[in-house]
Amino acid sequence: MTAIVCFVWLREPFTWKEALCSFIAFCGVLFVARPPWLFPSSHMKPVVDDSDRKAPASSITAEQRTMAILIAILGTFGASTAYATIRVIGKRAHSLISVNYFSFIATMASFVLILVHPSLHFVMPKTLGQWGLIAIIGLFGFLLQFLLTEGLQREKGGRATNLTYLQLVFALVVEKLIWETTPPVESLVGAVLIIGAAIAVSLQKEGGKDKKVEAGNDEERRLLREDD
């Protein structure tokens, strides 16, 4: 989505190789998410639990999951617009400035929603463990926004955001480490597709740099011959 927005709005080049990698990564996302309309039988299989610890039980229906996916797709359009805006700003403003404005607007919007929504109310953490979880969310959320902004300032939007699909792979690893649950085969296939697409994008980037360096060397040789 980000690549399309940047291609239409910013006229950034979007090669067929990048489009293919994006499609492969998206297929990997589908394998990991396993929507019921695409994998109806996979939701009948219980997730293998290798320990006595149990992951929180989920009572989400197939219709609710589908609605959540549609809302998430709508959210990706908003995120793509934000990423394209960061590309427009570029290095004219430090990435921390964008992160600070994002944090300020998000805080004010959340504050207003808490005041307006009848079933929402502000709750302070009560235990040390709760404060620790809040600190983890704040720290890693800040790193996410800061590093993503830095990456978007240095690379094309489509290529930079393709690597964000790796967060699904990391989620599978964390789920295994914390809940000790073995992901199904479909999720492992999706992880392989996502990692493969990310590697392909990285190799393509290096190849482009090598071509630029080689072209620059040829130009230098030509100028040296003319001087001689």
Side-chain angles (χ1 to χ4, degrees):
M1 181 69 74
T2 303
I4 296 175
V5 172
C6 291
F7 175 75
V8 175
W9 185 12
L10 306 180
R11 296 295 187 269
E12 287 189 351
F14 185 49
T15 64
W16 67 269
K17 293 182 179 179
E18 293 174 351
L20 179 61
C21 291
S22 300
F23 177 75
I24 293 175
F26 180 73
C27 291
V29 172
L30 292 179
F31 273 96
V32 174
R34 290 172 292 124
W37 51 269
L38 190 59
F39 298 92
S41 60
S42 63
H43 291 269
M44 303 299 295
K45 302 176 183 178
V47 179
V48 179
D49 195 340
D50 301 328
S51 70
D52 295 333
R53 291 180 294 180
K54 299 293 183 180
S58 176
S59 59
I60 300 176
T61 63
E63 292 76 11
Q64 291 174 335
R65 185 182 296 273
T66 302
M67 180 59 66
I69 293 175
L70 294 177
I71 294 175
I73 292 175
L74 180 62
T76 58
F77 178 76
S80 301
T81 304
Y83 297 156
T85 305
I86 294 175
R87 290 290 300 156
V88 172
I89 296 174
K91 295 184 178 181
R92 290 176 292 180
H94 196 275
S95 56
L96 285 178
I97 297 177
S98 300
V99 174
N100 285 334
Y101 275 106
F102 168 77
S103 302
F104 174 75
I105 295 174
T107 301
M108 296 304 298
S110 300
F111 178 74
V112 172
L113 287 177
I114 290 176
L115 292 179
V116 174
H117 202 285
S119 61
L120 293 179
H121 58 279
F122 186 78
V123 178
M124 288 289 293
K126 298 179 180 179
T127 64
L128 185 61
Q130 292 177 355
W131 278 108
L133 293 176
I134 293 296
I136 291 175
I137 293 174
L139 174 62
F140 287 97
F142 166 76
L143 291 177
L144 164 65
Q145 296 298 328
F146 173 69
L147 296 178
L148 181 59
T149 304
E150 285 285 329
L152 288 170
Q153 288 181 346
R154 289 168 168 77
E155 186 55 89
K156 293 190 303 181
R159 186 176 295 172
T161 53
N162 273 345
L163 298 178
T164 60
Y165 287 125
L166 289 174
Q167 62 187 333
L168 294 175
V169 180
F170 296 147
L172 294 176
V173 175
V174 172
E175 184 179 3
K176 176 63 177 178
L177 294 177
I178 295 179
W179 301 112
E180 297 186 6
T181 56
T182 302
V185 178
E186 294 88 345
S187 296
L188 298 179
V189 172
V192 172
L193 292 176
I194 293 172
I195 294 175
I199 293 175
V201 170
S202 300
L203 292 178
Q204 182 183 354
K205 178 180 178 181
E206 294 297 328
K209 286 185 177 180
D210 293 341
K211 290 180 180 179
K212 289 182 180 179
V213 172
E214 184 178 354
N217 292 335
D218 293 339
E219 182 67 17
E220 290 179 0
R221 296 191 191 98
R222 186 182 65 82
L223 293 175
L224 289 174
R225 293 194 194 99
E226 291 179 356
D227 292 338
D228 294 339

